[in-house]
Amino acid sequence: MSKKIYEVKTIAVEHVTICSNNPFSMVRTKLEGLVSRIDDGIFTLLRYGETARALKELEALPALSIFGFRDHGALLGIAGPRRNSIQYDIGNPLTASKMTKHDISAGLYAPIRVLLREDLHGEVAFEYDRPISMFGQFESQEIDAVATQLDKDLRAVLEEAAA
């Protein structure tokens, strides 16, 4: 009996847009003030087996952190005019571990990718795919419970940054 080499699964994903009446730079500054960049020292601790110390530091973290970001608007300069568009990876390592311990494939969606963009008409908005809809494919009550809280935390911080 041979294993499947290639498998495709269709899932329904809910896409969210949170609009802002504020300028792009103000929304970006507000988001980055509300959600701090994660301290990479936590990953160093884990790499060296300091799990108890890393757990203590992870438990002290806020609900969400910025893992990284990319200036997608600068990339557009290759194809035309530069635009305001930043992709963020936002999440929490402890939250991710609470899901991936039930299904390692959930790691594909943690952290969550969030786009802050300004369209051609000057409208500023956040866009992201709802965590509960992405993680729902794993059909796990434990993962769904964590994803539901992540969904609430993410929406709250993005709405606050957009306000």
Side-chain angles (χ1 to χ4, degrees):
M1 188 169 173
S2 65
K3 293 186 344 184
K4 292 181 189 176
I5 295 175
Y6 183 81
E7 184 179 350
V8 176
K9 180 179 179 181
T10 301
I11 62 169
V13 175
E14 297 173 357
H15 186 77
V16 177
T17 301
I18 299 173
C19 296
S20 177
N21 292 320
N22 295 316
F24 180 89
S25 61
M26 180 185 288
V27 177
R28 179 181 182 181
T29 299
K30 201 166 177 185
L31 174 66
E32 292 176 7
L34 291 168
V35 183
S36 59
R37 183 125 169 140
I38 194 159
D39 178 0
D40 288 333
I42 290 169
F43 300 108
T44 301
L45 290 173
L46 291 169
R47 198 169 25 257
Y48 289 102
E50 298 280 338
T51 52
R53 190 167 153 209
L55 178 59
K56 186 176 179 179
E57 291 193 26
L58 286 170
E59 290 173 337
L61 285 178
L64 297 171
S65 296
I66 295 172
F67 282 65
F69 63 93
R70 289 160 298 286
D71 187 342
H72 189 74
L75 177 65
L76 289 174
I78 294 170
R82 187 183 187 323
R83 306 245 312 268
N84 288 323
S85 179
I86 305 287
Q87 290 177 346
Y88 291 95
D89 294 323
I90 299 178
N92 179 302
L94 201 50
T95 299
S97 70
K98 288 177 183 178
M99 290 187 282
T100 55
K101 76 178 183 181
H102 298 288
D103 193 324
I104 193 68
S105 295
L108 177 62
Y109 303 101
I112 303 298
R113 180 173 284 180
V114 174
L115 182 70
L116 171 59
R117 53 92 176 144
E118 182 175 24
D119 69 15
L120 290 173
H121 306 292
E123 181 180 274
V124 174
F126 288 108
E127 294 190 49
Y128 66 98
D129 294 331
R130 281 190 70 208
I132 190 63
S133 69
M134 292 186 302
F135 291 110
Q137 69 181 293
F138 300 107
E139 300 175 353
S140 163
Q141 290 179 339
E142 295 87 359
I143 293 174
D144 288 351
V146 176
T148 297
Q149 186 60 52
L150 177 58
D151 199 30
K152 289 176 186 175
D153 293 341
L154 185 60
R155 180 178 176 180
V157 78
L158 296 178
E159 285 181 345
E160 187 174 346

